Amino acid sequence: MSSVQRQSSSGSDGCVVDDKKRKKMESNRESARRSRMKKQKHVEELTVEITRLQISNNQLRQSIDAKDKAYSELEAWNNVMRAQEKELTDRLRYLESIEQTFVEFSGGFDENMNGMAEMHDTMLNPWQIPYSTQPITASSAVKFLDWP
């Protein structure tokens, strides 16, 4: 169609059409250049954003790893503490049963804690039985011991 216009136009009209065409081409080139620049700027901004997000992601991973490690250490410590708590609870029950047995067989403590003193002495000297009414005699099992 433009070739038809060129042929139909006279010499001065041909320059006007060529001038318009040249201006349109320059405008298109400038628009394409601006579009490329805008696209390049956008790509650079996205690259910077990717780098920033990667750094942030690495920091978050390190933080998560540190918290996982701390959690594991605390969980191990908690397991140790639970085991100690169970052991101490068992010891306490055992000591309470000893106390209950003592109270049942000795009648408990008097006001001056004499019962406790007797129990304490008995614990220190287990071979001296404080309430013995019969003498302790050697049994016939002594014969079987291999004496040098």
Side-chain angles (χ1 to χ4, degrees):
M1 186 157 158
S2 63
S3 62
V4 171
Q5 287 179 351
R6 239 188 261 161
Q7 290 175 354
S8 66
S9 63
S10 62
S12 66
D13 286 341
C15 286
V16 172
V17 172
D18 286 341
D19 197 32
K20 284 183 180 180
K21 186 176 179 182
R22 184 182 54 76
K23 284 183 181 180
K24 181 69 173 170
M25 284 175 49
E26 285 179 16
S27 175
N28 285 346
R29 283 184 189 135
E30 183 62 27
S31 177
R33 186 185 68 75
R34 285 193 308 264
S35 179
R36 285 190 303 272
M37 295 291 281
K38 184 177 177 183
K39 183 178 177 181
Q40 183 179 3
K41 182 180 177 185
H42 184 66
V43 167
E44 288 172 358
E45 288 172 352
L46 289 176
T47 303
V48 168
E49 181 71 8
I50 287 170
T51 303
R52 186 187 67 77
L53 289 173
Q54 286 174 337
I55 290 170
S56 176
N57 195 17
N58 287 336
Q59 290 172 343
L60 288 172
R61 283 184 182 155
Q62 289 173 354
S63 176
I64 288 170
D65 290 344
K67 286 178 177 39
D68 280 345
K69 182 180 177 186
Y71 175 78
S72 296
E73 290 172 358
L74 286 174
E75 189 174 29
W77 177 252
N78 196 18
N79 289 337
V80 168
M81 297 306 291
R82 282 186 180 140
Q84 287 180 352
E85 186 257 346
K86 184 180 179 331
E87 180 182 340
L88 291 173
T89 300
D90 291 345
R91 281 184 183 178
L92 179 62
R93 286 184 184 142
Y94 175 71
L95 291 173
E96 287 173 345
S97 71
I98 290 174
E99 177 189 20
Q100 182 64 32
T101 303
F102 178 76
V103 168
E104 287 174 3
F105 289 109
S106 69
F109 303 113
D110 61 12
E111 295 163 359
N112 298 325
M113 297 293 284
N114 289 334
M116 186 65 177
E118 289 176 15
M119 181 178 148
H120 183 67
D121 288 342
T122 305
M123 294 282 194
L124 290 176
N125 301 313
W127 299 110
Q128 295 178 358
I129 301 172
Y131 302 110
S132 175
T133 57
Q134 298 178 354
I136 298 175
T137 60
S139 69
S140 59
V142 174
K143 297 177 189 176
F144 298 108
L145 295 175
D146 186 25
W147 295 93

